[in-house]
Amino acid sequence: MDERTLSSLIENVKDGAISRRSFIRRLAAVGITAPIASQILAWNDVAMAQASLQYKPTKAGGGGPLKILLWQAPTLLNPHFASGTKDQIAGRIFFEPLAGWDKEGNLTPQLAAEVPTRANGGLSEDGKVVTWKLKQGVKWHDGKPFTADDVVFTWEYAADPATAAYTTGSYTNIKVEKVDDHTVKVIFKEATPFWADPFVGVVGQILPKHHFGEYKGAKSREAPANLKPVGTGPYKFAEFKPGDILTGTRNEDYHVKNQPHFDTIEVKGGGDAVSAARAVLQTGEFDYAWNLQVEDEVLKKMETGGRGKVSAVPSGDIEFIILNTTDPWTEVDGERSSVKTKHPTLSDPKVRQAFNLLIDRDSIQKFIYGRGGRATASFVNEPKQFRSQKLKYEFNIDKANKILDEAGWKRGSDGIREKDGKKLKYVYQTSINAPRQKTQAIIKQACQKAGIDLELKSVTASVFFSSDVANPDTYTKLYVDIEMYTTTQPQPDPERFLNQFTSWEIANKENKWLGRNVSRYSDPEADKAYKAAQKELDPAKRAALLIKVDEIFCEANVILPILSRTRVAASATNLMHDHSGWDVDTWNVAAWYRS
Amino acid sequence: MATYLLRRLLIAIPSLLGISLILFTVLALAPGDPFSEMATNPNVPPEVREALRASFGLNDPIMVRYLRWLSAMAQGDWGFSFASRINVDTLILQRVPTTLFVVGTSQILALCIALPVGIYAATRPYSIFDQIANTLAFVGFSLPTFFTGLLLILLFSIKLDWFPFVYRSDIAATGWRWYWEMFRQAIMPITVLGLFQAASYTRYVRSAVLDVIRLDYVTTARAKGLSEKRVTLRHITRNALIPVVTLVALQMPAVFGGAIVTEQIFRIPGIGSLLIDAILANDTPVIMAVTFVFACLVVLFNLIADLLYGWLDPRISFG
Amino acid sequence: MAGSTLASPSADPAVAGAGAAISVSPGRETWRRFRRHKLAMASAVILGLLILGVVVGPWIWTIPINDIDFSAQLQGPSLAHPFGTDDLGQDILARMMYGGRISLAVGLAAMVVATTVGVLIGATAGMSRKVADPVLMWVTDLFLSLPQLPLLLLVIYLFREQLKAVFGVEGGVFILIVVVIGGLRWMPVARLVRAQFLSLREKEFVEAAKAQGATKLRQMTRHILPNAVGPVIVASTIEVSSAIIAESTLSFLGLGFPPDIPTWGRLLFDAKDHLDTAPHWALFPGAAIFLTVLSINFIGDGLRDALDPRRVI
C-alpha cells in the first residue's frame, strides 16, 4: 500500500465514506495491525478509540498494598531532574503530565480534558500552535486546585537553564500562554509535525506553582518539594529514602472515578535484574518488577512456578552495530575516527555487506533475548508506520565468503583474510551486559568462519555512556572498528531519534563528541529527506521521508540493526497492570488493580 | 604514652589532608561522568549535558575543585549528591544504622566462631577437628560472597520459603514481631558475611596460636602446674592476639564502609550499596564523602591497633 | 603475666646456624621435613596435576572453547561433554582448561606481588624507629582508604593501551591485572608483618644477634622474618583465592581479560543465574578454585611446619 492510497483511504474515513472498522480491515489485509491502523487514523485527526487497560473495580481503595521492585533504586522524585527511568517511574506516581502514551503509542489524556486535534481546534493549520484544554476539578494533594498557571509555570521552570532540569530540551524553543484558567497555548517557532512533546509523557510532568514557585532557577535544588512531592497523581507521598525505598498512600481525591485500587504503594530499589525477577516470579515478595534485561530462558524457568507472569511491550529501542567507516587508529588534528580519514578495510562496502551477512539475528533473538527483542533489519521499527518494508536481513556465511573472495580479500596463512597487506582484524566494543557479551561471542564465531578476526572489548556502562571528553572508551568517541549498543527512541515518533543520521550531528572533537551521529557516516540524500520531514505536516509523506533516511543508512551497511527491543516486566499473576514502551512503567498506575 | 598519643593525633591531620588530596585527584581523573543514563536519549540535547557539567563545576581545574571541597568541608558542608540532589550527610546518615547493624553483627559472629575454633584447632594440630575446621575454612574463602549469598537465597527463600531475601529498612510491625521480622531478614546476609570473614580469621588465629604454643614460656607455664585452660587463655591467647588485633583493626572501617556485594544481593540499604551506586553514577561528592570518612577510620583504627600492641606486649615501644 | 614470660633465645636455628657449621644444609633439612608432611605432599601432587591439566589438557581435549552449539544448551555432564555445557552450548571442560591457565597464573603471580610488597613495606616499617615507619604506614593507610573501583578504572584507562602495545592483548592485560590485584592487596600483609616485627624486634634473640654485631638487614632477614612467617603464609595462601575471585570481578567490570576468555572466576559468575537449573556449570569451576586453595593452603601449612625447628616431625 503506497502513501497515496493510504492518504485517500484516510480521507474516506474522515468523510464517512468508509467506516473505521473497514479501514482497519483493509490495512490488516496488507499486514498493518489494528492498533496501528487506528493510530494512523488518530494521527490524521480521526477520533481515537481508547486502548488502555480495562478497569474493573467499582470503587476506589480496598486493594491492599502494591509493591513494586526496581533493581535500580530511585534517587530523586522531581521528574524534571530525573536522569534515568528509575527516577521517572518514581516521580510518575505523584506527578502527571497533560497526556501520556499507552503501549500502542496512542496519546491518552491525563491532566488534559482531551487530546488536541485539528478537528477540536487544538491544532492550528500552520502546525505552530497547540491548544490544550485542561481537566477541571483536579486538586493537588494539598487540596489546592490545578490550573493553567501551573502549566505555564512548569514551562518557565524547565526552560530556565539555571534550574538545570534534564527536560530543558523540550521547553526551550517554545512559548506557553495561559488562555483561561483551564486552557493553555503552546506556540512553536516552526511548524512542528510532532507537537506531542512538551507537557506529554516522560518530560511532561506538571509541577505545582505554589510549591516550586520560589525555587525556580538556581535555587531549584533547595525546594522541599523535591523530596516531599505534592502532585495530582493517584498516590500521595508518605516516605522516601533515596536509593532505597519510596512509599505512598491512596489519594482519596483522585480525579478519575473509582481509582486507584490499592491503598498503599511501595517502590523498593536495588540489587540486580535476575533476583528482582525471582522476588516476583518465585517468592512473590513483590507484585511487579521492571526492565528485566535477563535471558529469556532464565525467566521462563522462573515462570513455571505459576506465581507470576512476564509481559513484554514493544518500544522504539534498537540494539544495533555500527561499522566504523573512518579510521579509528590514526590521529588527525587531535582526534581519531575523524571524518577526514577512511577506514583501511571497513570503507569497502563489500566488507560491510559481508559482515552484515554474518550476524545470526534469529539465533540471537531465539537463544538470548527471547521475548526481549525481535530480529530486524530496520533501525526504526515502532510505531509500525515508520518501519521500512524493504529492508531484509539474512544469515549466510557462504555468501559472505563468496562476496569477500570476489572482492579480492584472500585468506592468509593464519586464516584471516587480507588484501594489500591489510587484514580483516577488528576490535568490537560494547558495554557490559550479559546478553551483549553473548551476542559478541556468537558474531565472533561466525566471523571466524569467514576469515574475519574480532577482538572483543567490553566497557563498563557508566564509562561507555558518559560524555567524559578525556575518556577514549565512550561510545561517541568510536575509537574502535565495530561498536554495539542500544539507543532509545523516547516518543512514538522517530524524527528526533533519526537525527543521528544527519551530517550536522556527527560527533567530533569540535562538539566535544556530543554530536548524536556516532557512526560519522553521512549522505546528502539523507540530510535532504530529514530536513524535508521536519517541515512536512502530511503524516504519510513525512513517514515516507523518515523511512528513506533509515533505509539509506541500513543499505549502506554502516548501521546494522540487530533487534528491536521490547520492555519486559514481571508481575504477580493476579496483578492487572498496564505498562508501555513509550512512557514509563507507572504512567497509568492509577488503573492497576488486583483481580 | 600521652605524648605519643598526642604526637600521633597531630600527625594524623596532615596525613589525612594528603590522603584527601590524593582521593580527590583519583576521583576527578577517573573516567566517566554523572550523565551516562541519559546519553542515548535524544530528548536531552548535548548543550543540556554540557550546561549541567558546568553547573556541577566538573569543568573546573582539579585543584580549584579540591580547594572548594576542602573549604566547604571545613565549614561542615559535605556538598550535595549529583544523583539525588540532596545533602550528602543526610544521605549517609540514613544508611549508617543499617550498615553498622548488619556488618557489625557479622564481624562479631565471625570473631565468635574464629577465636574458639582457631584456638582449639591449634592446640590439637592435625586432629580430626582441626582438619574439618580447616577444610570448612577453605570452602569459606574459596567461594565468593556473590555465590554463597545466592546459594542461601535459592535454598532458604525459594526452595524452603523460610526467609525473605529483600531487606527492608522499614518493617511495618512493632514489639516482638519487629524483632522477629528483623531477625528473619538479617540472618542470611549476616551469615554470608560472617562465615566468609570467620573462614580467614580462623586460619589466622590458628596460625598465630601455633606460633606461640611451642615457645618455651608456654612449656614453663605448664611445668609450673597451671591448668591447661589457664595456660591456653592467659599465656597463649594473649600473645597470639597481635595478628588478630591487626586484622580486626583492618576490618573495623569496613563496618562503616559496608559490604558492597552482599548489600547488593540482599538489597540492604547500607553504605556499601550507596557507595557502589555513587561510583557507577560517578556521583563524586558522595564517593568523596564516604571514602574520606572511611580514610579517617582507617587512620584511627591503625592508631588504636598500635596502642593495643603496647598493651598486649609491653616490650613494644614507639620510642 | 604472660607478657613477661620470655621466649628462649637459643632455640632459634638461625642464631645457632649463624655461628656453627651444620652437617645438613637447612634447605635439604626443610625438604626432608616437608616430605614427611603427608597432607602437604598430597596437596603438592594435586596442585601439580591441576597445573599439568591446564597446561597439557587443551592438547588432549581439543574441542574449541568457543564452539557455540545451540542444540546442546545447558547439558549436564556426558561423554561428549564431561563437565557439561553452558547456555551457548560451549564445552565447559575445554573452557575450564583454557581459563585455568589464566586463573592459576593470576592467582599465583598476584600472591607473589602482594606478599613481596607487603613483607618489604611491613618489615621496613617494623624495623624503623625513625621516619620510615610513619611514612610507610601513611602509604598503607592511603592505599587502604582508596576506593578501589574508581582507582581501577583510572589505572586501566591510563595504562591499558600502552601495555597492550608492548605486550599484546593478553600479555598486557595479564601484567595489568597482576599489578592491580597485587598492588591493591598488600596492605594487610604489611600491617601483619609490621605488627610481628614490633613485637619480635624487642625479643632476646634479636638482642643477642645485635650484640654479636649483626647488621639491621641481617637481623631482619635472618632473625626476625623467619619468626614472623606464620601470618605471612596464611595471608598469602588466602591471597591466591581472593586473586582468582578478584579477577572475575574485574572482568565483570570490563577491566579484566576480554569477555570471551573463560577464567574460573568468570565461569562461576556467568553460572550464577543458572544455579538452580544447571548446577554443574558452577560446580566444576567452584571445585577447581576450592582444590587450588586447599592444596596451596596445605602446602603452606607443610612449609610452615617444615621451617619451624621446634616442631618434631
Side-chain angles (χ1 to χ4, degrees):
Chain A
M1 182 172 293
D2 67 17
E3 168 212 322
R4 202 176 310 150
T5 339
L6 189 60
S7 303
S8 75
L9 268 180
I10 294 168
E11 285 309 310
N12 285 339
V13 184
K14 272 191 194 170
D15 303 344
I18 59 170
S19 72
R20 238 189 113 86
R21 187 180 294 171
S22 74
F23 173 82
I24 291 173
R25 207 179 301 140
R26 276 202 217 182
L27 259 63
V30 293
I32 299 177
T33 56
I36 302 309
S38 79
Q39 201 187 331
I40 293 178
L41 289 179
W43 283 95
N44 287 277
D45 293 345
V46 181
M48 74 170 78
Q50 288 296 334
S52 60
L53 178 73
Q54 280 283 319
Y55 188 73
K56 296 258 177 63
T58 50
K59 70 174 180 70
L66 171 62
K67 293 170 160 186
I68 298 176
L69 183 59
L70 307 182
W71 54 269
Q72 288 173 323
T75 50
L76 50 78
L77 298 176
N78 183 333
H80 292 274
F81 292 157
S83 60
T85 325
K86 58 190 192 334
D87 304 321
Q88 291 159 351
I89 289 178
R92 196 62 169 270
I93 293 168
F94 310 108
F95 294 103
E96 293 174 303
L98 295 185
W101 297 104
D102 75 5
K103 65 180 111 195
E104 275 140 18
N106 298 313
L107 198 55
T108 312
Q110 294 199 302
L111 285 176
E114 58 184 16
V115 170
T117 60
R118 218 170 282 175
N120 67 18
L123 303 179
S124 70
E125 279 302 316
D126 61 359
K128 288 187 181 174
V129 183
V130 180
T131 311
W132 287 93
K133 290 216 165 55
L134 308 182
K135 199 169 181 179
Q136 308 220 4
V138 177
K139 279 189 203 144
W140 294 103
H141 292 159
D142 58 4
K144 297 243 167 58
F146 156 74
T147 68
D149 291 325
D150 296 311
V151 180
V152 176
F153 168 73
T154 301
W155 162 64
E156 289 169 353
Y157 180 87
D160 186 343
T163 306
Y166 291 148
T167 50
T168 304
S170 300
Y171 294 93
T172 36
N173 284 320
I174 59 166
K175 251 174 65 188
V176 179
E177 285 171 7
K178 172 181 172 180
V179 178
D180 61 45
D181 266 358
H182 291 97
T183 316
V184 289
K185 246 195 218 168
V186 177
I187 302 155
F188 295 91
K189 281 192 184 140
E190 307 272 339
T192 306
F194 184 75
W195 49 268
D197 179 34
F199 308 122
V200 171
V202 171
V203 299
Q205 264 55 241
I206 310 296
L207 298 179
K209 188 179 180 183
H210 60 285
H211 281 278
F212 287 92
E214 290 170 39
Y215 300 99
K216 190 162 77 72
K219 279 164 72 187
S220 63
R221 197 181 71 78
E222 294 157 28
N226 282 343
L227 289 171
K228 292 188 168 55
V230 176
T232 54
Y235 295 93
K236 285 183 179 177
F237 173 79
E239 198 199 1
F240 178 47
K241 286 184 188 154
D244 177 23
I245 199 165
L246 167 70
T247 53
T249 55
R250 184 167 68 88
N251 176 6
E252 278 151 24
D253 283 332
Y254 189 56
H255 56 83
V256 179
K257 208 181 150 221
N258 293 339
Q259 288 183 2
H261 172 64
F262 296 97
D263 300 311
T264 57
I265 190 166
E266 171 192 315
V267 180
K268 166 87 183 174
D272 62 296
V274 178
S275 73
R278 284 192 200 285
V280 173
L281 299 173
Q282 288 190 306
T283 65
E285 278 177 66
F286 284 82
D287 296 314
Y288 184 83
W290 127 110
N291 190 19
L292 299 177
Q293 295 178 8
V294 179
E295 283 155 75
D296 207 32
E297 279 303 304
V298 178
L299 288 179
K300 275 187 190 146
K301 275 168 201 150
M302 289 183 193
E303 262 179 304
T304 53
R307 265 186 162 155
K309 57 188 191 288
V310 169
S311 55
V313 289
S315 77
D317 303 353
I318 176 92
E319 178 88 15
F320 71 108
I321 286 179
I322 294 174
L323 298 183
N324 190 354
T325 52
T326 64
D327 187 352
W329 312 113
T330 310
E331 195 170 301
V332 176
D333 301 334
E335 64 175 316
R336 285 150 62 185
S337 289
S338 153
V339 284
K340 291 170 201 143
T341 59
K342 264 178 73 178
H343 194 286
T345 55
L346 282 174
S347 54
D348 178 352
K350 292 286 174 196
V351 176
R352 300 202 299 266
Q353 191 193 348
F355 193 91
N356 200 4
L357 289 166
L358 295 170
I359 304 172
D360 188 356
R361 293 177 175 83
D362 289 326
S363 294
I364 294 172
Q365 181 196 334
K366 189 168 169 209
F367 296 107
I368 301 178
Y369 287 88
R371 286 164 288 184
R374 200 180 46 78
T376 182
S378 170
F379 191 67
V380 178
N381 294 279
E382 300 284 342
K384 297 206 169 43
Q385 67 266 34
F386 295 107
R387 180 196 295 170
S388 160
Q389 301 298 319
K390 199 164 90 187
L391 297 170
K392 296 275 181 293
Y393 64 84
E394 190 185 352
F395 171 59
N396 192 334
I397 297 177
D398 296 336
K399 200 167 157 188
N401 270 320
K402 214 173 129 218
I403 291 172
L404 291 171
D405 284 338
E406 281 166 7
W409 296 95
K410 299 270 175 290
R411 281 179 198 260
S413 54
D414 50 358
I416 300 168
R417 288 177 187 274
E418 55 178 279
K419 183 162 87 177
D420 311 328
K422 289 178 282 191
K423 282 180 176 273
L424 299 186
K425 273 182 99 160
Y426 303 118
V427 176
Y428 172 14
Q429 164 176 288
T430 188
S431 75
I432 291 177
N433 172 313
R436 283 204 183 118
Q437 268 72 68
K438 297 211 164 101
T439 308
Q440 280 184 315
I442 292 175
I443 295 176
K444 177 174 175 157
Q445 209 205 8
C447 282
Q448 232 166 17
K449 291 179 185 156
I452 299 175
D453 183 49
L454 298 184
E455 177 194 332
L456 305 186
K457 179 176 168 191
S458 54
V459 182
T460 179
S462 65
V463 173
F464 190 64
F465 291 116
S466 75
S467 56
D468 191 337
V469 178
N471 197 302
D473 289 338
T474 64
Y475 78 113
T476 55
K477 282 264 175 75
L478 193 71
Y479 283 3
V480 290
D481 308 289
I482 300 169
E483 182 164 279
M484 175 171 77
Y485 60 95
T486 284
T487 184
T488 45
Q489 179 192 338
Q491 299 112 340
D493 182 276
E495 180 195 308
R496 196 178 289 163
F497 179 62
L498 280 174
N499 68 4
Q500 50 193 311
F501 290 172
T502 61
S503 62
W504 55 90
E505 281 286 344
I506 289 176
N508 55 30
K509 192 182 168 198
E510 210 172 305
N511 58 28
K512 296 188 179 166
W513 294 278
L514 289 168
R516 299 246 317 133
N517 183 346
V518 176
S519 71
R520 273 92 167 141
Y521 189 77
S522 66
D523 186 317
E525 283 298 306
D527 284 354
K528 215 171 86 193
Y530 184 82
K531 278 188 175 140
Q534 283 184 303
K535 285 192 289 256
E536 182 56 64
L537 290 173
D538 181 319
K541 281 189 192 147
R542 185 162 165 273
L545 287 166
L546 292 173
I547 287 173
K548 189 177 172 193
V549 176
D550 178 9
E551 285 170 352
I552 288 173
F553 271 69
C554 293
E555 281 173 346
N557 291 313
V558 170
I559 298 288
L560 315 178
I562 302 175
L563 291 163
S564 163
R565 300 292 302 270
T566 56
R567 303 246 171 105
V568 180
S571 62
T573 318
N574 60 4
L575 180 76
M576 295 294 145
H577 66 92
D578 183 18
H579 69 135
S580 163
W582 305 109
D583 212 326
V584 297
D585 289 41
T586 49
W587 78 278
N588 194 18
V589 71
W592 292 17
Y593 64 96
R594 215 184 281 284
S595 61
Chain B
M1 193 51 124
T3 46
Y4 173 70
L5 189 65
L6 192 68
R7 209 181 66 211
R8 282 288 298 259
L9 286 175
L10 281 179
I11 295 176
I13 294 169
S15 76
L16 276 174
L17 274 180
I19 289 178
S20 77
L21 175 62
I22 292 172
L23 288 181
F24 200 93
T25 316
V26 167
L27 290 183
L29 290 178
D33 73 8
F35 314 115
S36 57
E37 247 190 292
M38 43 181 180
T40 59
N41 184 345
N43 274 344
V44 183
E47 307 84 61
V48 174
R49 281 209 260 170
E50 198 42 43
L52 281 167
R53 279 188 75 91
S55 77
F56 287 166
L58 293 176
N59 291 340
D60 299 336
I62 293 172
M63 274 322 285
V64 174
R65 288 166 61 191
Y66 173 70
L67 289 176
R68 204 189 296 140
W69 175 84
L70 191 67
S71 63
M73 196 76 181
Q75 295 160 33
D77 175 6
W78 295 53
F80 69 92
S81 151
F82 293 158
S84 55
R85 304 206 188 181
I86 68 169
N87 289 334
V88 170
D89 43 352
T90 327
L91 212 53
I92 292 180
L93 284 177
Q94 275 177 352
R95 302 299 187 99
V96 167
T98 310
T99 292
L100 287 186
F101 168 64
V102 174
V103 186
T105 317
S106 67
Q107 288 288 337
I108 294 171
L109 176 73
L111 284 176
C112 288
I113 294 174
L115 282 176
V117 172
I119 293 170
Y120 191 80
T123 50
R124 285 158 192 74
Y126 303 105
S127 65
I128 297 285
F129 179 86
D130 184 35
Q131 307 280 23
I132 293 174
N134 276 324
T135 312
L136 287 181
F138 298 146
V139 176
F141 54 78
S142 50
L143 289 181
T145 46
F146 74 74
F147 196 80
T148 40
L150 190 68
L151 217 58
L152 288 191
I153 289 178
L154 285 177
L155 186 62
F156 291 108
S157 293
I158 289 166
K159 278 262 153 24
L160 299 172
D161 214 353
W162 287 357
F163 308 122
F165 72 91
V166 177
Y167 190 98
R168 307 171 49 103
S169 53
D170 61 331
I171 293 172
T174 46
W176 66 269
R177 259 200 71 92
W178 188 89
Y179 288 103
W180 172 238
E181 288 296 323
M182 200 67 189
F183 169 77
R184 270 173 24 107
Q185 70 173 2
I187 185 159
M188 285 201 295
I190 289 177
T191 312
V192 167
L193 276 177
L195 290 184
F196 186 73
Q197 201 64 61
S200 55
Y201 276 170
T202 307
R203 293 288 298 162
Y204 280 111
V205 172
R206 177 181 178 275
S207 150
V209 172
L210 272 182
D211 268 346
V212 287
I213 207 163
R214 290 188 294 267
L215 292 183
D216 298 347
Y217 75 89
V218 177
T219 319
T220 315
R222 284 212 186 90
K224 280 199 299 193
L226 293 179
S227 74
E228 193 61 23
K229 193 174 153 200
R230 198 179 156 82
V231 172
T232 311
L233 289 182
R234 301 292 303 269
H235 292 79
I236 299 175
T237 308
R238 182 165 178 169
N239 277 284
L241 271 180
I242 286 184
V244 180
V245 164
T246 312
L247 282 168
V248 173
L250 274 168
Q251 284 298 326
M252 285 325 271
V255 175
F256 164 79
I260 290 178
V261 176
T262 314
E263 287 187 9
Q264 280 291 98
I265 295 173
F266 294 99
R267 296 183 166 77
I268 300 169
I271 300 278
S273 64
L274 178 71
L275 183 64
I276 188 74
D277 285 347
I279 287 174
L280 291 179
N282 286 291
D283 194 348
T284 329
V286 177
I287 313 174
M288 190 59 206
V290 173
T291 46
F292 186 65
V293 174
F294 191 79
C296 294
L297 292 174
V298 167
V299 172
L300 176 71
F301 278 98
N302 193 7
L303 174 59
I304 292 179
D306 278 353
L307 295 180
L308 280 176
Y309 298 155
W311 176 73
L312 288 170
D313 184 348
R315 273 174 304 180
I316 292 181
S317 68
F318 295 98
Chain C
M1 283 303 290
S4 56
T5 318
L6 306 180
S8 155
S10 59
D12 192 79
V15 177
I22 321 165
S23 53
V24 189
S25 79
R28 286 188 54 189
E29 171 64 10
T30 308
W31 171 234
R32 188 187 67 79
R33 294 166 67 94
F34 183 78
R35 263 185 324 189
R36 289 216 175 165
H37 198 294
K38 284 200 198 86
L39 268 171
M41 276 312 285
S43 297
V45 172
I46 290 176
L47 188 65
L49 284 177
L50 276 173
I51 293 174
L52 196 71
V54 300
V55 173
V56 182
W59 279 307
I60 301 163
W61 189 253
T62 50
I63 294 185
I65 59 159
N66 56 358
D67 201 16
I68 294 169
D69 178 4
F70 288 117
S71 61
Q73 276 183 307
L74 292 177
Q75 284 182 353
S78 64
L79 268 183
H81 303 288
F83 285 6
T85 58
D86 66 9
D87 62 342
L88 291 179
Q90 305 176 108
D91 184 70
I92 291 176
L93 175 59
R95 291 172 77 74
M96 273 186 59
M97 289 192 297
Y98 186 88
R101 296 180 185 184
I102 290 164
S103 287
L104 283 175
V106 165
L108 296 172
M111 171 197 78
V112 171
V113 171
T115 312
T116 316
V117 175
V119 168
L120 274 180
I121 291 193
T124 317
M127 277 310 276
S128 147
R129 290 172 196 272
K130 297 199 190 74
V131 259
D133 181 36
V135 169
L136 288 174
M137 278 303 105
W138 180 79
V139 174
T140 314
D141 286 350
L142 171 67
F143 270 82
L144 278 170
S145 25
L146 281 173
Q148 305 210 342
L149 196 47
L151 185 70
L152 283 173
L153 288 171
L154 182 64
V155 170
I156 304 255
Y157 137 75
L158 288 178
F159 302 111
R160 183 178 53 204
E161 295 300 317
Q162 285 89 323
L163 281 170
K164 218 167 99 177
V166 182
F167 299 99
V169 181
E170 291 192 11
V173 176
F174 180 78
I175 292 176
L176 201 62
I177 287 181
V178 167
V179 170
V180 159
I181 296 180
L184 286 176
R185 304 193 61 95
W186 54 266
M187 297 81 76
V189 180
R191 284 267 193 97
L192 282 166
V193 170
R194 171 177 171 269
Q196 293 289 93
F197 266 59
L198 288 179
S199 164
L200 291 171
R201 73 180 186 194
E202 312 290 345
K203 293 262 176 348
E204 292 77 356
F205 66 87
V206 181
E207 295 287 324
K210 216 192 276 178
Q212 285 179 359
T215 62
K216 243 189 174 165
L217 188 68
R218 194 179 167 83
Q219 289 171 40
M220 244 165 93
T221 50
R222 298 299 299 270
H223 302 271
I224 305 185
L225 201 54
N227 283 286
V229 88
V232 174
I233 286 183
V234 176
S236 51
T237 49
I238 289 180
E239 199 52 44
V240 177
S241 61
S242 349
I244 291 177
I245 292 162
E247 187 281 320
S248 73
T249 321
L250 286 185
S251 57
F252 176 66
L253 292 167
L255 306 174
F257 290 95
D260 51 336
I261 294 185
T263 60
W264 290 348
R266 183 155 187 99
L267 284 172
L268 201 55
F269 194 90
D270 286 344
K272 75 176 170 38
D273 293 341
H274 299 269
L275 195 58
D276 39 355
T277 48
H280 66 271
W281 188 0
L283 192 69
F284 291 108
I289 298 178
F290 170 67
L291 271 182
T292 311
V293 171
L294 189 80
S295 51
I296 290 177
N297 272 281
F298 279 129
I299 295 172
D301 275 1
L303 268 182
R304 168 205 159 88
D305 288 342
L307 285 171
D308 184 350
R310 285 187 210 93
R311 185 162 174 81
V312 184
I313 299 182

